[in-house]
Amino acid sequence: MNDTFQEIDDDNAQAPEHLKGMLTAEIDAIRDIMQIVQMFLGETMVAGVKLLQELEQKETKDE
């Protein structure tokens, strides 16, 4: 019985250079998008959590 994975699996397999470039470009784009998201949402989320903590502390003091 032939093992299909052994036929596909080749330790010396190399990706074409244009494919490597495309993959690197995709990774860079994802990294850039994540930095933008972190810039806009990261600080907003931290401020929101701090606000909620302050409100919770205020409610517990009032009780």
Side-chain angles (χ1 to χ4, degrees):
M1 183 176 197
N2 289 338
D3 188 3
T4 306
F5 289 113
Q6 285 184 348
E7 292 175 13
I8 294 173
D9 188 24
D10 184 8
D11 292 337
N12 297 324
Q14 294 284 329
E17 288 300 318
H18 72 279
L19 184 59
K20 289 179 184 178
M22 289 171 53
L23 184 59
T24 303
E26 286 292 323
I27 292 170
D28 288 341
I30 291 170
R31 185 179 299 128
D32 293 343
I33 291 169
M34 292 303 295
Q35 287 177 342
I36 291 170
V37 167
Q38 183 179 3
M39 263 189 334
F40 288 103
L41 292 181
E43 295 298 321
T44 305
M45 293 298 282
V46 169
V49 168
K50 286 186 179 186
L51 176 65
L52 290 174
Q53 287 174 344
E54 289 176 7
L55 290 174
E56 184 178 338
Q57 288 174 357
K58 184 178 177 183
E59 286 179 4
T60 55
K61 287 180 183 178
D62 290 343
E63 290 178 356

